[in-house]
Amino acid sequence: MAPKPDSAEGIVLNFVNEQNRPLNSQVVADFLQKFNLKKTAIQKALDSLAESGKITFKEYGKQKIYLARQDQFQIPNTEELNQMKDENAKLQEMVDEQKKANSQLEGEIKSLQSNLTLDEIQSNDAKLRNQVKEMENRLTKLREGVTLVSPEERNAVEKTFSDTISHWRKRKRMFKDVWDTITENSPKNPNEMKEELGLEYDEDIGVSLQTYINLVPHGKKRPRA
């Protein structure tokens, strides 16, 4: 007589048959916690089912391993297995196609989410129009020959540039004085020492101090180095 489906034996039997793999009482108890069955009740149900022949078991020392009866399952023949493989392959193709479709939908959703709302578009349009207007006004003034830089700003820039050139010239002269002193008292060739120390002159990197000195406004140039 088959146990009632909602009884401890019925629940355990159904689980063992569904799993259809070797199980011990602890594994069964862990899986069936949701049914509020204690391990002692599960062990009793397993033993009862094994004794009545509804499941099989093997003993390994003190431990019992339980397994569903295999004669209750219909074993497919070669033709049925091949048919199942074909069906499985078709289902896998359908799954892959569905994944691609989902991926495309997710891309479209992200694209829609990244699009601006009408209010945002109108706000950006207003900002861009104001920027265009400001740039057109500046362009008009430039075409009319209006100077957009104040004399104070121009003088400040020219002073900074002139001071920078002056520092460059002083440092260049200081280096030359030190370098001449070192090379005069050294038996090594100055070019060899330069390569060993990894030094580079302005000319080595295509820079000329005189070119920048010539950019200093007329009347503010200092004597040439």
Side-chain angles (χ1 to χ4, degrees), residues 112-130:
L112 291 173
Q113 290 176 340
S114 64
N115 291 337
L116 298 176
T117 64
L118 180 60
D119 291 340
E120 291 173 334
I121 291 174
Q122 291 175 343
S123 176
N124 288 345
D125 180 65
K127 290 179 182 178
L128 290 173
R129 288 180 183 276
N130 289 333

Side-chain angles (χ1 to χ4, degrees), residues 155-169:
N155 290 334
V157 172
E158 289 179 351
K159 183 177 183 305
T160 300
F161 181 77
S162 180
D163 291 343
T164 302
I165 295 299
S166 178
H167 285 302
W168 184 357
R169 180 169 43 211

